[in-house]
Amino acid sequence: MSATTDSSCYTLVYEDSSEAPTTQELRTALQKGTDEVKLDTLRKIIISTINGNHQPQLLMPVIQNVMPSRNKQLKKLLHFYWEVCPKYDDNGKLKHEMILVVNAIRNDLQHPNEYIRGSTLRFLQKISKDQELLEPLIPTCRSCLEHRHSYVRKNAVFAVYSIYREFEHLIPDAPELLQTFLAAESDATCKRNAFVFLANCAMPKAVEYIVQVFDQIPSMDELLQMSIIEVIRLDCKQETAHKSRYILLISELLNASSHAVKYEAASTLTSLTQNPAAVKAAASCYINLVQKESDNNAKLIVLDRLDVLRSKHGHVLDSLIMDILQILSSSPDLEVRRKAISIVLSLTSSRNVEEVVLFLKKQLQRTQDQEFEKAPEYRQLLIQSIHVCAVKFSEVAASVVHALMDFLGDSNNPSALDVVSFVREVVEKFPQLRLTICEKLTQTLPEIKSGKVYRGVLWILGEYAEGVQEIQGVFRQLRKVLGEIPILASEQRLLEEAGTEEGEERMDDQVKTESSKPKVLADGTYATETAYTSISSARLEAVKAASKPPLRALLLGGDFYTGSVLASALTKLVLRYTELSNEARKCNALKAEAMLIMASVIRVGQSKFVTVPIDEDSSERIMNCIQTLSELEAQPAVHEIFLKDTKGAYSKMVAAQEKKAAEKRESEKAKAAIVQVDDLLSFRQFSKKAVDDALDDSEDVNRATGAGEATEDFLSNLSRISQLTGFSDPIYAEAYVKVHGFDILLDVLLVNQTADTLQNLCLDFATLGDLKLVERPSVYTVAPHSFQSIKATIKVSSTETGVIFGSILWEGPGLAEQCVILNDIHIDIMDYIKPAYCTEQQFRSMWTEFEWENRVNVTTTISNPREYLNHVMKATNMSCLTPEGALSGDCDFLSANMYAKSLFGEDALANLSVERTEDGTITGHVRIRSKTQGIALSLGDRITMAQKDNKPPV
């Protein structure tokens, strides 16, 4: 073995240099210490050796004083030392002292204690590259294959495997030896180890063994079954005559007791054959695994596999849809349920939609009856799923809409809001259901508790209550949920009644009540505290706290936005009633009642009975509605706005959503490309990328190492070069910054611009932010006017703007130390941020939850709000969640939501609100929110930098 051979790589262990003992102290401790002292000393020697301080002069003291010991801990630690200590001299020859070591190892391989034999055999696997050490030990190692204890035999198999893999000529008959061993062996682990050897070193013999024991495989040990499945997978990559038998065997293994074997068997079966029966059997196996497995992470992995099967063989799995739904009952975890429901929704068709919806409705009822884990979130998920089914398949909409409306009074606000969203979409898409839905909504008004839900329901009733009887019914229910009108007068009367009940003996507004409790003033003196209790304020609080109808309670609680929606709904109902009815007396009565309710809302909003006074916007909106009703005959254009334009805007939004969904379905169909007779045939052996994912594990390796990535062109490489030093510095340095996944690779080119040889040149890097230098570059000697390329890897752990800085140190003429400070390298977070999409509800939920906000004021020369939005989106890699319909048209104001996700799973939200002023400039701000501070600040800095130029950064 030559000295130039690469040495093994070890984990660096921290060594406290302040307390490092000298070589003499270590020698003395080895010679005179007890076993405990020797253990501690040998541990220090191993750590020192790993860190580069080999101390070859301690080799002989270790041999003399530690090797003869019978202490098992010392023997184990001694194996670590033999592994890391320098075994060769400067000429690459084996040191003479190692002969004693080899002799001691041979004795341990013949030791009567099976633990010592087994651990020594494991040690041989670590030194399998040292041929001169192994050669004398081969006969003893072979004899261990026949030892009585399975612990020795199983380690002997892998010792033979390690030696044969490196030096085949040392044990040329190893395949035949282990084939014989496998036939005679009874221990499961030993058989598995021997089979793994055959699979990696003699595949035909492994296949021959499978054929011999074919009928016994279903009853074998789990480990051996896993190894056999792996060999079947490898053997089927080539032409094999046993494929039909393999498929039969794998199908039997789907019923194995081990979950791991089931999973591997199902994955392998779908890669061996695309037969519908086999695909269905594999899918049933996956479903069974999800139901019986306890680990939620494992469930999610299996569901991912099932989803892949669904995407390739969707029609085959249609009959299993009810089995997949059973996962909802067996798995309490919300993520597992969400994944299972997404698979079910993608499999739902007109043939099975009624069964699916019936099951989901039963689950929805159970969330009411039983205490589920995360019941509100699960209820919301079920409501959203039923919503998707009902909109997609109109035949079930009528059966579910009434059941879901029972949840409008749900105390869990998001669930009730989802129901409102669903009802609004159904009532728009299915006109035949409008009458019954409006009747049901009218009946549920007294049960609603939330202001947001009230606003949604009032809008629906205002737009879609189209008959005279319906409108009168809505007014009757509104009287009930509002209570006595006018609100202010009735509340004032209640206050006065409460005052008369106090009795005539308390005519004064205030009663003086003295307490004996002394109070310490600011200067340290004592004073008697006198408490004044105001009877009038107490009466007012009592009136406020009294039980009230739901809508009245919301208005008195300060929710005047709901009051403005109520005014708008009343206006629409009166206008529509006026068009439908010819009875002027009834029309005037309804109009007067509506105007009284609106005026009452404004009056009470300005009184002392409300928690918060009415805001200017709500007051103005209600006044506009009153004005519209008071000038009923004069302004037909306003009637058009109230009765048609708002409904038309919602119809456009629903149409845009349908168009988007249709485009998505078309794109998914386009992905399933039809194979033509003249299409290119793909041979796995000739292609870089595997045709079948499940059969070719090398694709995963390519993805992990970046080998499969598209190569960058020369110009894009040039844009990533950073100059680190100046042209006049003794050393010119520039770095090519390559971002790959979670790593940053720095390829630094150094040019010695002097006529001197630079010795002990060291490139020293340091980082700021969530960056970590993986390894420190080596020391180099650079000749005059020559080049040196140095590579360094930096690990990134979060999306935060990082800075890499450092210096170059070297020894010049006369061993004088010299230094050049490098320019900073700023890491662009855009390499880690990718556009993503989420629903409006998810965006609002995250916006409320995230605590870090960064507000960036808009300062730009761009005059078009839409152009500025595109500019920000391109600069930040964010996607726009606001529908195209809401952004279209020429308007001086623009508000849009944006969303992105980092490689580390961090969410970044942004809201852009800008307005074009009269002089043509844009003003406004961009608000960024995230769970962590780093990404919010980094994106804000990115927008600020991008604003300095009209053009987005490339």
Side-chain angles (χ1 to χ4, degrees):
M1 182 175 177
S2 65
T4 58
T5 305
D6 290 341
S7 59
S8 299
C9 178
Y10 302 105
T11 304
L12 291 179
V13 181
Y14 174 69
E15 181 181 17
D16 191 354
S17 56
S18 61
E19 298 180 4
T22 62
T23 304
Q24 186 56 43
E25 288 171 348
L26 293 172
R27 188 196 302 270
T28 306
L30 288 174
Q31 290 172 348
K32 299 180 179 179
T34 61
D35 280 354
E36 285 74 17
V37 173
K38 288 179 181 178
L39 267 172
D40 187 53
T41 306
L42 192 55
R43 194 175 285 111
K44 289 177 181 176
I45 294 171
I46 292 170
I47 291 172
S48 176
T49 306
I50 287 174
N51 285 299
N53 185 14
H54 297 304
Q55 296 178 322
Q57 58 271 40
L58 290 175
L59 179 59
M60 202 61 203
V62 170
I63 292 172
Q64 290 173 337
N65 302 295
V66 181
M67 208 162 65
S69 173
R70 293 187 176 185
N71 185 301
K72 290 184 176 61
Q73 279 184 289
L74 266 178
K75 277 193 176 297
K76 185 69 178 172
L77 211 55
L78 201 56
H79 288 162
F80 286 133
Y81 179 68
W82 299 142
E83 189 182 340
V84 301
C85 74
K87 307 171 190 66
Y88 298 87
D89 58 23
D90 296 337
N91 298 320
K93 298 290 179 86
L94 191 70
K95 291 184 178 180
H96 298 301
E97 294 93 331
M98 297 310 293
I99 297 171
L100 300 172
V101 175
V102 171
N103 191 47
I105 294 171
R106 188 191 294 111
N107 292 337
D108 284 345
L109 287 174
Q110 297 170 337
H111 200 281
N113 184 305
E114 60 272 6
Y115 167 76
I116 292 176
R117 275 203 191 200
S119 62
T120 308
L121 286 164
R122 287 180 63 133
F123 161 66
L124 289 186
Q125 298 169 39
K126 307 284 183 64
I127 59 166
S128 59
K129 293 186 178 181
D130 297 310
Q131 182 181 347
E132 293 180 54
L133 285 179
L134 293 172
E135 201 163 359
L137 304 173
I138 298 299
T140 321
C141 188
R142 290 176 67 124
S143 67
C144 287
L145 289 170
E146 300 167 6
H147 193 270
R148 59 181 175 77
H149 202 286
S150 60
Y151 179 72
V152 176
R153 296 199 304 275
K154 74 177 184 183
N155 284 305
V157 170
F158 272 165
V160 170
Y161 176 24
S162 303
I163 295 167
Y164 182 81
R165 189 174 55 193
E166 296 294 335
F167 307 107
E168 192 175 322
H169 62 280
L170 292 181
I171 317 179
D173 61 337
E176 292 78 13
L177 178 69
L178 285 180
Q179 189 180 22
T180 309
F181 172 85
L182 182 58
E185 182 57 58
S186 58
D187 181 76
T189 311
C190 297
K191 288 172 80 170
R192 179 255 182 186
N193 289 4
F195 185 78
V196 167
F197 170 84
L198 294 179
N200 286 279
C201 300
M203 177 64 85
K205 294 187 184 298
V207 173
E208 185 183 330
Y209 174 75
I210 292 175
V211 173
Q212 287 173 0
V213 297
F214 191 84
D215 296 330
Q216 304 164 29
I217 291 173
S219 59
M220 284 182 172
D221 180 73
E222 170 191 352
L223 292 172
L224 190 54
Q225 286 177 339
M226 294 279 282
S227 300
I228 287 171
I229 290 173
E230 182 63 29
V231 168
I232 289 173
R233 211 183 261 159
L234 293 170
D235 192 36
C236 285
K237 285 186 178 182
Q238 300 144 7
E239 190 61 38
T240 176
H242 306 295
K243 188 170 183 178
S244 57
R245 295 190 71 187
Y246 286 158
I247 292 172
L248 185 64
L249 172 62
I250 295 293
S251 300
E252 287 186 47
L253 289 177
L254 290 176
N255 301 315
S257 57
S258 165
H259 289 182
V261 172
K262 278 184 174 181
Y263 177 77
E264 290 297 331
S267 303
T268 305
L269 183 62
T270 54
S271 64
L272 294 182
T273 176
Q274 305 299 317
N275 182 282
V279 171
K280 194 172 178 180
S284 298
C285 180
Y286 283 144
I287 295 167
N288 184 261
L289 276 176
V290 176
Q291 290 175 342
K292 293 185 177 178
E293 178 59 48
S294 57
D295 185 7
N296 288 329
N297 291 325
K299 287 182 179 184
L300 290 170
I301 291 169
V302 176
L303 283 172
D304 282 334
R305 278 282 184 184
L306 188 62
D307 199 24
V308 171
L309 267 189
R310 192 256 335 144
S311 63
K312 292 181 179 177
H313 315 279
H315 60 285
V316 179
L317 306 187
D318 282 353
S319 59
L320 299 174
I321 192 165
M322 296 311 292
D323 296 333
I324 300 172
L325 280 171
Q326 294 302 324
I327 295 171
L328 301 180
S329 303
S330 61
S331 302
D333 184 71
L334 194 64
E335 286 302 317
V336 173
R337 284 171 167 166
R338 184 174 281 115
K339 186 70 180 174
I341 283 181
S342 72
I343 295 172
V344 167
L345 291 179
S346 55
L347 287 172
T348 306
S349 62
S350 55
R351 293 190 302 275
N352 54 32
V353 66
E354 291 184 4
E355 293 178 342
V356 171
V357 169
L358 184 63
F359 185 91
L360 294 176
K361 281 167 66 177
K362 285 180 180 176
Q363 286 287 308
L364 196 56
Q365 291 300 328
R366 288 179 63 193
T367 62
Q368 295 287 88
D369 303 336
Q370 301 177 12
E371 279 301 317
F372 267 69
E373 183 186 349
K374 294 188 175 179
E377 292 90 341
Y378 183 41
R379 194 179 307 132
Q380 189 179 357
L381 177 63
L382 289 169
I383 289 170
Q384 289 169 353
S385 307
I386 294 172
H387 180 174
V388 171
C389 289
V391 171
K392 199 172 177 183
F393 304 99
S394 56
E395 60 267 26
V396 297
S399 65
V400 298
V401 69
H402 292 288
L404 284 188
M405 280 195 282
D406 293 336
F407 291 91
L408 282 172
D410 195 351
S411 56
N412 179 35
N413 199 25
S415 298
L417 285 173
D418 282 332
V419 174
V420 169
S421 173
F422 165 62
V423 172
R424 189 172 57 199
E425 194 166 345
V426 169
V427 85
E428 166 62 30
K429 286 188 172 182
F430 308 113
Q432 69 275 15
L433 299 176
R434 287 177 184 172
L435 179 62
T436 55
I437 288 176
C438 287
E439 287 176 358
K440 179 71 174 176
L441 283 178
T442 307
Q443 292 166 12
T444 55
L445 279 174
E447 301 167 12
I448 299 173
K449 303 177 181 69
S450 162
K452 287 184 177 179
V453 178
Y454 254 119
R455 293 197 288 271
V457 171
L458 287 171
W459 186 87
I460 294 171
L461 290 173
E463 293 291 350
Y464 299 102
E466 296 170 341
V468 171
Q469 297 298 326
E470 291 173 63
I471 294 172
Q472 290 175 344
V474 173
F475 265 87
R476 279 195 296 272
Q477 283 295 337
L478 285 175
R479 289 186 202 112
K480 291 180 184 177
V481 294
L482 280 169
E484 189 181 345
I485 299 293
I487 301 174
L488 180 59
S490 60
E491 292 293 313
Q492 189 69 43
R493 193 180 66 253
L494 283 174
L495 182 61
E496 289 169 359
E497 287 173 2
T500 56
E501 289 171 6
E502 293 291 333
E504 293 184 0
E505 69 276 4
R506 295 189 177 180
M507 294 297 291
D508 297 310
D509 277 351
Q510 295 180 340
V511 172
K512 185 175 177 181
T513 307
E514 291 192 359
S515 82
S516 57
K517 182 179 176 183
K519 185 176 182 181
V520 182
L521 298 179
D523 59 356
T525 60
Y526 288 91
T528 303
E529 183 180 15
T530 303
Y532 290 92
T533 306
S534 172
I535 289 178
S536 61
S537 63
R539 286 204 307 262
L540 181 60
E541 291 302 321
V543 169
K544 284 184 180 180
S547 177
K548 292 181 176 61
L551 188 51
R552 187 190 193 99
L554 287 170
L555 293 171
L556 292 173
D559 188 358
F560 291 103
Y561 181 28
T562 302
S564 67
V565 175
L566 170 66
S568 178
L570 289 172
T571 306
K572 292 172 188 174
L573 291 171
V574 171
L575 291 173
R576 192 171 293 115
Y577 189 88
T578 307
E579 288 182 355
L580 295 171
S581 175
N582 297 322
E583 299 181 40
R585 189 163 172 270
K586 286 186 179 180
C587 290
N588 285 333
L590 208 64
K591 179 170 68 170
E593 185 179 355
M595 292 173 72
L596 178 61
I597 292 172
M598 295 181 210
S600 177
V601 172
I602 294 177
R603 288 287 308 280
V604 81
Q606 297 166 345
S607 72
K608 60 184 176 181
F609 291 98
V610 292
T611 312
V612 181
I614 188 169
D615 57 285
E616 191 179 338
D617 288 344
S618 299
S619 177
E620 187 180 344
R621 174 68 170 158
I622 296 171
M623 287 300 295
N624 286 341
C625 292
I626 293 174
Q627 186 180 359
T628 301
L629 290 181
S630 65
E631 301 170 359
L632 198 55
E633 308 298 330
Q635 294 183 329
V638 178
H639 303 177
E640 191 86 6
I641 293 170
F642 271 104
L643 294 179
K644 294 183 180 176
D645 287 4
T646 51
K647 189 192 290 186
Y650 181 66
S651 302
K652 279 184 185 176
M653 194 174 88
V654 172
Q657 289 174 350
E658 286 182 342
K659 184 181 176 185
K660 198 172 182 180
E663 287 173 357
K664 188 178 179 182
R665 286 195 295 271
E666 287 299 321
S667 65
E668 286 176 356
K669 286 180 185 176
K671 285 179 186 175
I674 301 168
V675 179
Q676 301 293 344
V677 290
D678 57 345
D679 276 356
L680 181 70
L681 292 175
S682 182
F683 294 94
R684 187 184 303 110
Q685 288 83 354
F686 302 147
S687 63
K688 287 179 71 176
K689 187 176 180 182
V691 176
D692 197 332
D693 311 10
L695 271 178
D696 199 340
D697 300 325
S698 61
E699 186 183 348
D700 294 333
V701 177
N702 286 346
R703 197 182 293 120
T705 57
E709 290 185 355
T711 55
E712 293 185 340
D713 59 5
F714 180 68
L715 288 176
S716 65
N717 286 348
L718 286 178
S719 67
R720 292 181 174 273
I721 291 177
S722 302
Q723 185 177 336
L724 302 181
T725 63
F727 293 111
S728 59
D729 287 316
I731 295 177
Y732 173 73
E734 63 181 26
Y736 167 56
V737 183
K738 167 71 174 173
V739 178
H740 169 61
F742 303 113
D743 296 331
I744 298 171
L745 180 66
L746 294 180
D747 190 350
V748 184
L749 175 68
L750 302 179
V751 182
N752 181 2
Q753 301 193 109
T754 67
D756 304 315
T757 299
L758 308 182
Q759 298 181 346
N760 294 331
L761 184 141
C762 175
L763 184 60
D764 192 18
F765 279 123
T767 57
L768 189 67
D770 283 341
L771 305 175
K772 184 179 179 183
L773 190 65
V774 175
E775 55 184 344
R776 208 166 288 280
S778 304
V779 175
Y780 299 91
T781 299
V782 185
H785 303 293
S786 69
F787 299 81
Q788 179 67 50
S789 180
I790 301 175
K791 288 183 171 61
T793 305
I794 290 167
K795 187 74 71 178
V796 185
S797 56
S798 77
T799 314
E800 187 176 340
T801 302
V803 181
I804 305 170
F805 53 93
S807 59
I808 304 173
L809 305 168
W810 73 91
E811 292 177 357
L815 298 180
E817 287 193 1
Q818 297 183 18
C819 172
V820 170
I821 306 298
L822 305 178
N823 289 335
D824 297 346
I825 302 174
H826 292 265
I827 301 304
D828 189 358
I829 66 161
M830 290 303 107
D831 292 319
Y832 300 97
I833 291 180
K834 304 296 177 192
Y837 294 91
C838 67
T839 63
E840 184 184 354
Q841 288 84 357
Q842 290 170 332
F843 182 90
R844 289 180 182 277
S845 173
M846 287 188 287
W847 187 268
T848 309
E849 178 190 346
F850 292 171
E851 55 190 18
W852 289 104
E853 180 174 312
N854 187 11
R855 180 175 168 136
V856 181
N857 291 323
V858 174
T859 52
T860 179
T861 56
I862 299 174
S863 58
N864 188 330
R866 186 65 189 273
E867 187 183 333
Y868 180 75
L869 171 64
N870 295 333
H871 174 69
V872 171
M873 285 167 56
K874 192 164 186 179
T876 57
N877 277 2
M878 300 185 92
S879 59
C880 181
L881 301 181
T882 306
E884 182 64 29
L887 297 173
S888 60
D890 187 20
C891 181
D892 288 340
F893 179 81
L894 185 144
S895 179
N897 293 332
M898 295 177 287
Y899 178 59
K901 209 174 182 73
S902 75
L903 290 179
F904 308 95
E906 299 165 316
D907 298 296
L909 313 175
N911 172 261
L912 180 140
S913 297
V914 292
E915 183 182 5
R916 182 163 50 198
T917 59
E918 292 180 358
D919 58 358
T921 59
I922 292 178
T923 60
H925 55 263
V926 182
R927 294 166 67 195
I928 304 157
R929 284 198 183 182
S930 66
K931 192 172 279 186
T932 56
Q933 183 184 18
I935 191 169
L937 293 176
S938 301
L939 279 174
D941 293 343
R942 180 75 181 179
I943 293 172
T944 304
M945 289 166 59
Q947 284 187 143
K948 294 179 181 177
D949 188 16
N950 288 354
K951 296 179 182 178
V954 181

